[in-house]
Amino acid sequence: MTMEKVSVIIPCYNVEKYVEECLDSVINQTIGIDNMEIIIVDDCSEDGTMEILQRYEQQYPDQILLVKSEKNARQGAARNIGLQYVSGDYISFVDADDYISRDMYEILVNVIRKTGSDIVEFRKFSVELPEKGNQDNYSYEVFDIVGERARKQLLLSNDVMGESCTRKLYRHTFLQKANVRFAEGVGYEEPLFTYPLKFGVNRIARVEGEFYFYRTNEEGTTLNYMSNPSTILDHLNVQWQLLDYIRKFPDLDIYREETEMHFIHAFFVEPFYFLSLRGMIMSVDLYRYMCRIVKMVLPDYKDNIYVQYHFFEEETHIIDLIAKTDTMDDEEAATRLEQVCREIRGL
């Protein structure tokens, strides 16, 4: 069986401690280095990362392309640069401080070919991967997105087609047609790329198996960046960009309720979870800002048919806070916000 080519995009910034393990895990894939093109985008690293990348490029000149970004614009911009160079049949994203199992691409390509899927998705693990891979230890299921009802369920759910771009292998022709790009210069950049794909995807395969080692890099800029409460504004900015982008779709009227509910959840509810899981409390100023934007962008948000059908009781309480913003003074709001965040942390 002729193996098609996989294009792997790896953004790098100050990862000298981990990037060799990452690159070795990609280079040593069981599909063979000749069936891959590895596009590495250095986002203006300030440590010894660039020297390591140049050494790998010299060692594999036919398979590795090293691109130097002109300015530091975070992972979203680096991935967008990488997308300009892809020529493979499938596209994958790997973060430079993570690594993958040896047979990941062999398995994912086989699944996507067998099923005719546009995307194959897999679970991400934060435990050490088996050295020999998982060739005999995986299964998959297929989701056909046929009709409006199935599309609406996909637009509302995060169970299939979650936001992470690294958990997926994409058919190149599908991404070309979708013409999506990552948000640039911000954290939380992935939703602008992954969520619009839900409007065009027709078949998704989901593989169960251990393929991807996600490293919590205590020294990395991402962890330090996310520990700053003010960076939640990046998340809000990206969700606002996403809603504006989706509103231009020709079939939006069919899925308006679903996309607006997604915005309410992502823009207003998710920040409570993000901050709570980091042991932080929502500030009154941020809370009032989010309420103001939701009311401005979706003045009839309370009429959305999904507002009363939340999966978690806590989310209903959180959305109720939008309506109460004008009736609570700062002291009452601070008390209520602290209570909500503590409730979430106890889940």
mmCIF file with all atom_site columns, all heavy atoms in Angstrom, residues 229-244:
data_model
loop_
_atom_site.group_PDB
_atom_site.id
_atom_site.type_symbol
_atom_site.label_atom_id
_atom_site.label_alt_id
_atom_site.label_comp_id
_atom_site.label_asym_id
_atom_site.label_entity_id
_atom_site.label_seq_id
_atom_site.pdbx_PDB_ins_code
_atom_site.Cartn_x
_atom_site.Cartn_y
_atom_site.Cartn_z
_atom_site.occupancy
_atom_site.B_iso_or_equiv
_atom_site.pdbx_formal_charge
_atom_site.auth_seq_id
_atom_site.auth_comp_id
_atom_site.auth_asym_id
_atom_site.auth_atom_id
_atom_site.pdbx_PDB_model_num
ATOM 1   N N   . PRO A 1 229 ? -4.136  36.583 35.016 1.00 0.00 ? 229 PRO A N   1
ATOM 2   C CA  . PRO A 1 229 ? -5.587  36.692 34.803 1.00 0.00 ? 229 PRO A CA  1
ATOM 3   C C   . PRO A 1 229 ? -5.964  37.588 33.628 1.00 0.00 ? 229 PRO A C   1
ATOM 4   O O   . PRO A 1 229 ? -6.980  37.361 32.976 1.00 0.00 ? 229 PRO A O   1
ATOM 5   C CB  . PRO A 1 229 ? -6.093  37.273 36.133 1.00 0.00 ? 229 PRO A CB  1
ATOM 6   C CG  . PRO A 1 229 ? -5.054  36.928 37.131 1.00 0.00 ? 229 PRO A CG  1
ATOM 7   C CD  . PRO A 1 229 ? -3.739  36.948 36.384 1.00 0.00 ? 229 PRO A CD  1
ATOM 8   N N   . SER A 1 230 ? -5.158  38.610 33.350 1.00 0.00 ? 230 SER A N   1
ATOM 9   C CA  . SER A 1 230 ? -5.504  39.547 32.280 1.00 0.00 ? 230 SER A CA  1
ATOM 10  C C   . SER A 1 230 ? -5.484  38.896 30.909 1.00 0.00 ? 230 SER A C   1
ATOM 11  O O   . SER A 1 230 ? -6.111  39.396 29.959 1.00 0.00 ? 230 SER A O   1
ATOM 12  C CB  . SER A 1 230 ? -4.549  40.749 32.292 1.00 0.00 ? 230 SER A CB  1
ATOM 13  O OG  . SER A 1 230 ? -3.230  40.345 31.945 1.00 0.00 ? 230 SER A OG  1
ATOM 14  N N   . THR A 1 231 ? -4.783  37.754 30.783 1.00 0.00 ? 231 THR A N   1
ATOM 15  C CA  . THR A 1 231 ? -4.704  37.115 29.469 1.00 0.00 ? 231 THR A CA  1
ATOM 16  C C   . THR A 1 231 ? -6.026  36.469 29.057 1.00 0.00 ? 231 THR A C   1
ATOM 17  O O   . THR A 1 231 ? -6.166  36.048 27.908 1.00 0.00 ? 231 THR A O   1
ATOM 18  C CB  . THR A 1 231 ? -3.593  36.049 29.449 1.00 0.00 ? 231 THR A CB  1
ATOM 19  O OG1 . THR A 1 231 ? -3.883  35.053 30.438 1.00 0.00 ? 231 THR A OG1 1
ATOM 20  C CG2 . THR A 1 231 ? -2.238  36.673 29.719 1.00 0.00 ? 231 THR A CG2 1
ATOM 21  N N   . ILE A 1 232 ? -6.981  36.409 29.983 1.00 0.00 ? 232 ILE A N   1
ATOM 22  C CA  . ILE A 1 232 ? -8.301  35.901 29.610 1.00 0.00 ? 232 ILE A CA  1
ATOM 23  C C   . ILE A 1 232 ? -8.918  36.793 28.547 1.00 0.00 ? 232 ILE A C   1
ATOM 24  O O   . ILE A 1 232 ? -9.807  36.372 27.792 1.00 0.00 ? 232 ILE A O   1
ATOM 25  C CB  . ILE A 1 232 ? -9.208  35.802 30.856 1.00 0.00 ? 232 ILE A CB  1
ATOM 26  C CG1 . ILE A 1 232 ? -10.316 34.767 30.644 1.00 0.00 ? 232 ILE A CG1 1
ATOM 27  C CG2 . ILE A 1 232 ? -9.800  37.146 31.212 1.00 0.00 ? 232 ILE A CG2 1
ATOM 28  C CD1 . ILE A 1 232 ? -9.833  33.362 30.666 1.00 0.00 ? 232 ILE A CD1 1
ATOM 29  N N   . LEU A 1 233 ? -8.437  38.028 28.464 1.00 0.00 ? 233 LEU A N   1
ATOM 30  C CA  . LEU A 1 233 ? -8.927  38.943 27.433 1.00 0.00 ? 233 LEU A CA  1
ATOM 31  C C   . LEU A 1 233 ? -8.608  38.423 26.040 1.00 0.00 ? 233 LEU A C   1
ATOM 32  O O   . LEU A 1 233 ? -9.346  38.690 25.085 1.00 0.00 ? 233 LEU A O   1
ATOM 33  C CB  . LEU A 1 233 ? -8.334  40.343 27.634 1.00 0.00 ? 233 LEU A CB  1
ATOM 34  C CG  . LEU A 1 233 ? -8.784  41.083 28.900 1.00 0.00 ? 233 LEU A CG  1
ATOM 35  C CD1 . LEU A 1 233 ? -8.006  42.387 29.054 1.00 0.00 ? 233 LEU A CD1 1
ATOM 36  C CD2 . LEU A 1 233 ? -10.282 41.370 28.864 1.00 0.00 ? 233 LEU A CD2 1
ATOM 37  N N   . ASP A 1 234 ? -7.508  37.699 25.906 1.00 0.00 ? 234 ASP A N   1
ATOM 38  C CA  . ASP A 1 234 ? -7.191  37.091 24.614 1.00 0.00 ? 234 ASP A CA  1
ATOM 39  C C   . ASP A 1 234 ? -8.265  36.087 24.208 1.00 0.00 ? 234 ASP A C   1
ATOM 40  O O   . ASP A 1 234 ? -8.685  36.037 23.051 1.00 0.00 ? 234 ASP A O   1
ATOM 41  C CB  . ASP A 1 234 ? -5.827  36.388 24.667 1.00 0.00 ? 234 ASP A CB  1
ATOM 42  C CG  . ASP A 1 234 ? -4.675  37.339 24.448 1.00 0.00 ? 234 ASP A CG  1
ATOM 43  O OD1 . ASP A 1 234 ? -4.930  38.526 24.193 1.00 0.00 ? 234 ASP A OD1 1
ATOM 44  O OD2 . ASP A 1 234 ? -3.524  36.898 24.538 1.00 0.00 ? 234 ASP A OD2 1
ATOM 45  N N   . HIS A 1 235 ? -8.679  35.281 25.180 1.00 0.00 ? 235 HIS A N   1
ATOM 46  C CA  . HIS A 1 235 ? -9.735  34.311 24.912 1.00 0.00 ? 235 HIS A CA  1
ATOM 47  C C   . HIS A 1 235 ? -11.012 35.026 24.457 1.00 0.00 ? 235 HIS A C   1
ATOM 48  O O   . HIS A 1 235 ? -11.663 34.608 23.485 1.00 0.00 ? 235 HIS A O   1
ATOM 49  C CB  . HIS A 1 235 ? -10.017 33.486 26.159 1.00 0.00 ? 235 HIS A CB  1
ATOM 50  C CG  . HIS A 1 235 ? -11.238 32.632 26.066 1.00 0.00 ? 235 HIS A CG  1
ATOM 51  N ND1 . HIS A 1 235 ? -11.274 31.459 25.355 1.00 0.00 ? 235 HIS A ND1 1
ATOM 52  C CD2 . HIS A 1 235 ? -12.488 32.804 26.588 1.00 0.00 ? 235 HIS A CD2 1
ATOM 53  C CE1 . HIS A 1 235 ? -12.488 30.937 25.428 1.00 0.00 ? 235 HIS A CE1 1
ATOM 54  N NE2 . HIS A 1 235 ? -13.235 31.727 26.162 1.00 0.00 ? 235 HIS A NE2 1
ATOM 55  N N   . LEU A 1 236 ? -11.369 36.087 25.142 1.00 0.00 ? 236 LEU A N   1
ATOM 56  C CA  . LEU A 1 236 ? -12.577 36.834 24.776 1.00 0.00 ? 236 LEU A CA  1
ATOM 57  C C   . LEU A 1 236 ? -12.437 37.440 23.388 1.00 0.00 ? 236 LEU A C   1
ATOM 58  O O   . LEU A 1 236 ? -13.386 37.419 22.586 1.00 0.00 ? 236 LEU A O   1
ATOM 59  C CB  . LEU A 1 236 ? -12.831 37.938 25.810 1.00 0.00 ? 236 LEU A CB  1
ATOM 60  C CG  . LEU A 1 236 ? -12.976 37.489 27.268 1.00 0.00 ? 236 LEU A CG  1
ATOM 61  C CD1 . LEU A 1 236 ? -13.269 38.694 28.158 1.00 0.00 ? 236 LEU A CD1 1
ATOM 62  C CD2 . LEU A 1 236 ? -14.074 36.453 27.418 1.00 0.00 ? 236 LEU A CD2 1
ATOM 63  N N   . ASN A 1 237 ? -11.258 37.964 23.092 1.00 0.00 ? 237 ASN A N   1
ATOM 64  C CA  . ASN A 1 237 ? -11.005 38.569 21.784 1.00 0.00 ? 237 ASN A CA  1
ATOM 65  C C   . ASN A 1 237 ? -11.167 37.548 20.667 1.00 0.00 ? 237 ASN A C   1
ATOM 66  O O   . ASN A 1 237 ? -11.786 37.818 19.627 1.00 0.00 ? 237 ASN A O   1
ATOM 67  C CB  . ASN A 1 237 ? -9.597  39.178 21.766 1.00 0.00 ? 237 ASN A CB  1
ATOM 68  C CG  . ASN A 1 237 ? -9.257  39.829 20.450 1.00 0.00 ? 237 ASN A CG  1
ATOM 69  O OD1 . ASN A 1 237 ? -10.123 40.235 19.691 1.00 0.00 ? 237 ASN A OD1 1
ATOM 70  N ND2 . ASN A 1 237 ? -7.969  39.939 20.169 1.00 0.00 ? 237 ASN A ND2 1
ATOM 71  N N   . VAL A 1 238 ? -10.616 36.351 20.872 1.00 0.00 ? 238 VAL A N   1
ATOM 72  C CA  . VAL A 1 238 ? -10.694 35.314 19.842 1.00 0.00 ? 238 VAL A CA  1
ATOM 73  C C   . VAL A 1 238 ? -12.144 34.867 19.642 1.00 0.00 ? 238 VAL A C   1
ATOM 74  O O   . VAL A 1 238 ? -12.593 34.669 18.506 1.00 0.00 ? 238 VAL A O   1
ATOM 75  C CB  . VAL A 1 238 ? -9.801  34.110 20.213 1.00 0.00 ? 238 VAL A CB  1
ATOM 76  C CG1 . VAL A 1 238 ? -10.044 32.942 19.257 1.00 0.00 ? 238 VAL A CG1 1
ATOM 77  C CG2 . VAL A 1 238 ? -8.336  34.519 20.167 1.00 0.00 ? 238 VAL A CG2 1
ATOM 78  N N   . GLN A 1 239 ? -12.899 34.732 20.725 1.00 0.00 ? 239 GLN A N   1
ATOM 79  C CA  . GLN A 1 239 ? -14.295 34.325 20.586 1.00 0.00 ? 239 GLN A CA  1
ATOM 80  C C   . GLN A 1 239 ? -15.119 35.389 19.870 1.00 0.00 ? 239 GLN A C   1
ATOM 81  O O   . GLN A 1 239 ? -16.034 35.057 19.093 1.00 0.00 ? 239 GLN A O   1
ATOM 82  C CB  . GLN A 1 239 ? -14.893 34.024 21.964 1.00 0.00 ? 239 GLN A CB  1
ATOM 83  C CG  . GLN A 1 239 ? -14.267 32.851 22.676 1.00 0.00 ? 239 GLN A CG  1
ATOM 84  C CD  . GLN A 1 239 ? -14.379 31.548 21.891 1.00 0.00 ? 239 GLN A CD  1
ATOM 85  O OE1 . GLN A 1 239 ? -15.305 31.352 21.110 1.00 0.00 ? 239 GLN A OE1 1
ATOM 86  N NE2 . GLN A 1 239 ? -13.441 30.637 22.112 1.00 0.00 ? 239 GLN A NE2 1
ATOM 87  N N   . TRP A 1 240 ? -14.795 36.632 20.099 1.00 0.00 ? 240 TRP A N   1
ATOM 88  C CA  . TRP A 1 240 ? -15.477 37.727 19.404 1.00 0.00 ? 240 TRP A CA  1
ATOM 89  C C   . TRP A 1 240 ? -15.123 37.676 17.910 1.00 0.00 ? 240 TRP A C   1
ATOM 90  O O   . TRP A 1 240 ? -15.986 37.824 17.041 1.00 0.00 ? 240 TRP A O   1
ATOM 91  C CB  . TRP A 1 240 ? -15.079 39.060 20.022 1.00 0.00 ? 240 TRP A CB  1
ATOM 92  C CG  . TRP A 1 240 ? -16.036 40.185 19.741 1.00 0.00 ? 240 TRP A CG  1
ATOM 93  C CD1 . TRP A 1 240 ? -17.041 40.211 18.820 1.00 0.00 ? 240 TRP A CD1 1
ATOM 94  C CD2 . TRP A 1 240 ? -16.084 41.431 20.415 1.00 0.00 ? 240 TRP A CD2 1
ATOM 95  N NE1 . TRP A 1 240 ? -17.702 41.411 18.864 1.00 0.00 ? 240 TRP A NE1 1
ATOM 96  C CE2 . TRP A 1 240 ? -17.144 42.176 19.841 1.00 0.00 ? 240 TRP A CE2 1
ATOM 97  C CE3 . TRP A 1 240 ? -15.335 42.015 21.448 1.00 0.00 ? 240 TRP A CE3 1
ATOM 98  C CZ2 . TRP A 1 240 ? -17.471 43.477 20.256 1.00 0.00 ? 240 TRP A CZ2 1
ATOM 99  C CZ3 . TRP A 1 240 ? -15.668 43.312 21.853 1.00 0.00 ? 240 TRP A CZ3 1
ATOM 100 C CH2 . TRP A 1 240 ? -16.715 44.030 21.268 1.00 0.00 ? 240 TRP A CH2 1
ATOM 101 N N   . GLN A 1 241 ? -13.844 37.465 17.612 1.00 0.00 ? 241 GLN A N   1
ATOM 102 C CA  . GLN A 1 241 ? -13.419 37.310 16.215 1.00 0.00 ? 241 GLN A CA  1
ATOM 103 C C   . GLN A 1 241 ? -14.140 36.132 15.553 1.00 0.00 ? 241 GLN A C   1
ATOM 104 O O   . GLN A 1 241 ? -14.567 36.224 14.395 1.00 0.00 ? 241 GLN A O   1
ATOM 105 C CB  . GLN A 1 241 ? -11.914 37.061 16.131 1.00 0.00 ? 241 GLN A CB  1
ATOM 106 C CG  . GLN A 1 241 ? -11.021 38.234 16.458 1.00 0.00 ? 241 GLN A CG  1
ATOM 107 C CD  . GLN A 1 241 ? -9.556  37.873 16.274 1.00 0.00 ? 241 GLN A CD  1
ATOM 108 O OE1 . GLN A 1 241 ? -9.140  37.384 15.220 1.00 0.00 ? 241 GLN A OE1 1
ATOM 109 N NE2 . GLN A 1 241 ? -8.771  38.076 17.321 1.00 0.00 ? 241 GLN A NE2 1
ATOM 110 N N   . LEU A 1 242 ? -14.276 35.041 16.305 1.00 0.00 ? 242 LEU A N   1
ATOM 111 C CA  . LEU A 1 242 ? -14.915 33.847 15.768 1.00 0.00 ? 242 LEU A CA  1
ATOM 112 C C   . LEU A 1 242 ? -16.376 34.106 15.421 1.00 0.00 ? 242 LEU A C   1
ATOM 113 O O   . LEU A 1 242 ? -16.852 33.725 14.336 1.00 0.00 ? 242 LEU A O   1
ATOM 114 C CB  . LEU A 1 242 ? -14.803 32.704 16.777 1.00 0.00 ? 242 LEU A CB  1
ATOM 115 C CG  . LEU A 1 242 ? -15.520 31.400 16.424 1.00 0.00 ? 242 LEU A CG  1
ATOM 116 C CD1 . LEU A 1 242 ? -14.992 30.826 15.113 1.00 0.00 ? 242 LEU A CD1 1
ATOM 117 C CD2 . LEU A 1 242 ? -15.360 30.386 17.553 1.00 0.00 ? 242 LEU A CD2 1
ATOM 118 N N   . LEU A 1 243 ? -17.105 34.752 16.326 1.00 0.00 ? 243 LEU A N   1
ATOM 119 C CA  . LEU A 1 243 ? -18.508 35.050 16.050 1.00 0.00 ? 243 LEU A CA  1
ATOM 120 C C   . LEU A 1 243 ? -18.638 35.958 14.837 1.00 0.00 ? 243 LEU A C   1
ATOM 121 O O   . LEU A 1 243 ? -19.504 35.733 13.973 1.00 0.00 ? 243 LEU A O   1
ATOM 122 C CB  . LEU A 1 243 ? -19.158 35.703 17.270 1.00 0.00 ? 243 LEU A CB  1
ATOM 123 C CG  . LEU A 1 243 ? -20.646 36.048 17.113 1.00 0.00 ? 243 LEU A CG  1
ATOM 124 C CD1 . LEU A 1 243 ? -21.477 34.780 16.914 1.00 0.00 ? 243 LEU A CD1 1
ATOM 125 C CD2 . LEU A 1 243 ? -21.158 36.844 18.314 1.00 0.00 ? 243 LEU A CD2 1
ATOM 126 N N   . ASP A 1 244 ? -17.782 36.959 14.731 1.00 0.00 ? 244 ASP A N   1
ATOM 127 C CA  . ASP A 1 244 ? -17.820 37.862 13.590 1.00 0.00 ? 244 ASP A CA  1
ATOM 128 C C   . ASP A 1 244 ? -17.535 37.112 12.290 1.00 0.00 ? 244 ASP A C   1
ATOM 129 O O   . ASP A 1 244 ? -18.171 37.355 11.252 1.00 0.00 ? 244 ASP A O   1
ATOM 130 C CB  . ASP A 1 244 ? -16.803 38.986 13.789 1.00 0.00 ? 244 ASP A CB  1
ATOM 131 C CG  . ASP A 1 244 ? -16.853 40.021 12.681 1.00 0.00 ? 244 ASP A CG  1
ATOM 132 O OD1 . ASP A 1 244 ? -17.908 40.642 12.492 1.00 0.00 ? 244 ASP A OD1 1
ATOM 133 O OD2 . ASP A 1 244 ? -15.824 40.188 11.994 1.00 0.00 ? 244 ASP A OD2 1
#
